[in-house]
Amino acid sequence: MEKIINVVVCLDDGYAMPTGVLLTSIELMTTDMPIMYHVVTTGLKKENIDLLSKCIRKPDSKMEFYTVDKSYLKDCPVREGDHISLGTYLRLLLPKVLPADLKKVIYLDGDIICVDTLSTLWNIDVRKYALACCINMSAIDIRKIERLQLKHDTIYFNAGVLSINLDYWRKKDISNKCMKFIVENPEACELHDQDALNKILEGSVKLISPRYNVSPPFYGELTDLLLPRASYPSIKEAIADPCLIHQWIIPKPWKNDSYQPFTKLWRRYLQLSPFKSYRDRSIKSFVMKIMRKLMVKYTGKKFITAENDPIELKLLDMLKKVK
């Protein structure tokens, strides 16, 4: 068993601050194993490199930066109104960018926070699979299935948390196959590289507990989501014992008008991170926050907030003593 966890994040300057919060949360929650952070970028300002480097708290954790020329991603679509940048496609290049002797990595999106040790995720065996992943909130959406021409019994996965078997990817040329699919089917890839991964890796992924990729809608009515009913028990177990909270809903937790679960915990992690001076000074988010309060007051509309979640309250209490 490997004695160090290899974690990969992919970003540009626009996501440096949220990624810094993620790394801070990992350092605070994963105390049982050292971590090697691989930070893959399309270029970062020195200020952000310095701040990300300061996210390391444990003496046995390390960080390495890799810069990828944007020309490698020139054929990857980023449409007007998309809430992503070219950086989202960087995960497809990991087998080529990372050291050749690296066999496995945990990939994490930058809008995630860690609330339990990553060692349990790291110890999941993926040697027979391309990767391990978690169910998506619209896992059986027939529109996705037909758009990507997947088998009707395929479970669509979320690509925000992946335990990647790099050896498998290199042997099966997964990176090039995904890029080729994106170039030849740009209209089919509405969800960018996530769609490509679901298409190319169909039948070769290991679905794991959703506790490793808890989505905010899981805190609402599961019957409102496009999920197989067989997944309901594991999702209920996941929200009772989460490891990674994926805060992909807009507005993000760093916006004043965020209402999604674990926003208070995210902001506590921000205060403990080198990016603690960040403030959302957007007039739009301030106005939206007021409008949402009025909507709740006068229309009775409900938002999924998971307010007073016992896990969040427990962690907030524990982090009061952390500096």
Side-chain angles (χ1 to χ4, degrees):
M1 187 179 295
E2 295 177 76
K3 297 180 180 180
I4 186 168
I5 301 174
N6 284 283
V7 171
V8 178
V9 290
C10 301
L11 66 147
D12 54 22
D13 280 312
Y15 244 70
M17 179 272 295
T19 301
V21 174
L22 164 63
L23 301 185
T24 298
S25 71
I26 295 172
E27 284 289 284
L28 287 167
M29 293 294 110
T30 307
T31 57
D32 53 340
M33 287 183 72
I35 299 176
M36 177 67 193
Y37 296 100
H38 304 269
V39 182
V40 182
T41 83
T42 52
L44 289 176
K45 297 175 182 176
K46 185 180 183 304
E47 175 188 2
N48 283 327
I49 292 175
D50 292 342
L51 289 171
L52 287 167
S53 299
K54 291 176 181 177
C55 291
I56 291 180
R57 287 171 166 258
K58 304 198 301 288
D60 50 1
S61 289
K62 298 178 182 179
M63 187 176 292
E64 188 74 33
F65 289 84
Y66 309 79
T67 302
V68 177
D69 193 308
K70 287 183 180 180
S71 63
Y72 287 104
L73 305 171
K74 60 183 176 61
D75 295 317
C76 298
V78 177
R79 306 174 187 87
E80 185 176 352
D82 280 351
H83 296 282
I84 61 116
S85 67
L86 278 177
T88 194
Y89 293 99
L90 287 172
R91 59 187 150 189
L92 297 181
L93 304 179
L94 295 181
K96 300 180 178 182
V97 175
L98 299 176
D101 61 348
L102 197 56
K103 296 181 178 181
K104 182 175 78 169
V105 293
I106 293 175
Y107 165 83
L108 298 174
D109 274 356
D111 53 359
I112 288 172
I113 53 172
C114 184
V115 296
D116 197 3
T117 177
L118 281 184
S119 60
T120 54
L121 173 57
W122 179 249
N123 289 332
I124 293 175
D125 189 356
V126 295
R127 285 175 293 181
K128 295 181 180 179
Y129 301 90
L131 53 80
C133 54
C134 300
I135 194 169
N136 194 70
M137 61 167 280
S138 55
I140 56 173
D141 187 341
I142 193 64
R143 293 166 296 183
K144 285 188 175 74
I145 303 298
E146 292 186 348
R147 171 163 50 81
L148 297 172
Q149 297 182 16
L150 302 173
K151 296 176 183 177
H152 278 217
D153 60 349
T154 294
I155 301 297
Y156 186 94
F157 65 85
N158 184 280
V161 177
L162 305 171
S163 181
I164 301 175
N165 180 347
L166 292 174
D167 277 349
Y168 185 105
W169 279 47
R170 294 180 182 118
K171 290 173 183 175
K172 301 287 186 179
D173 197 25
I174 300 301
S175 295
N176 286 332
K177 288 178 180 177
C178 286
M179 295 298 285
K180 184 174 185 289
F181 181 78
I182 290 168
V183 171
E184 294 179 354
N185 304 274
E187 298 307 315
C189 294
E190 291 182 7
L191 296 178
H192 315 101
D193 60 320
Q194 179 169 281
D195 278 345
L197 286 167
N198 271 273
K199 175 63 177 178
I200 299 302
L201 299 181
E202 184 178 22
S204 60
V205 304
K206 181 176 186 175
L207 283 174
I208 58 176
S209 168
R211 75 180 295 262
Y212 297 109
N213 192 345
V214 175
S215 179
F218 289 173
Y219 289 88
E221 292 294 331
L222 295 182
T223 52
D224 292 340
L225 308 178
L226 294 172
L227 289 164
R229 288 188 176 273
S231 69
Y232 289 5
S234 64
I235 290 173
K236 290 177 180 178
E237 290 173 5
I239 62 176
D241 182 30
C243 177
L244 294 163
I245 308 292
H246 191 176
Q247 295 168 300
W248 59 269
I249 285 182
I250 295 172
K252 301 288 190 178
W254 50 92
K255 294 295 184 180
N256 281 328
D257 55 328
S258 175
Y259 58 87
Q260 61 180 295
F262 286 77
T263 291
K264 290 180 181 177
L265 181 60
W266 187 95
R267 290 173 179 170
R268 178 57 182 149
Y269 281 138
L270 172 64
Q271 293 170 359
L272 295 170
S273 81
F275 293 86
K276 60 186 176 183
S277 63
Y278 169 82
R279 298 290 184 276
D280 176 22
R281 295 183 172 86
S282 165
I283 295 177
K284 179 182 176 181
S285 62
F286 176 74
V287 172
M288 289 300 295
K289 182 177 182 179
I290 295 174
M291 289 180 64
R292 185 168 290 110
K293 287 183 177 180
L294 292 174
M295 191 180 298
V296 170
K297 182 177 181 179
Y298 293 108
T299 71
K301 181 176 175 61
K302 295 182 179 180
F303 295 90
I304 299 172
T305 62
E307 193 170 0
N308 297 322
D309 180 271
I311 303 294
E312 183 177 30
L313 292 176
K314 179 181 177 181
L315 289 172
L316 285 170
D317 185 62
M318 180 192 78
L319 292 172
K320 287 179 180 178
K321 304 172 185 177
V322 178
K323 296 181 179 180

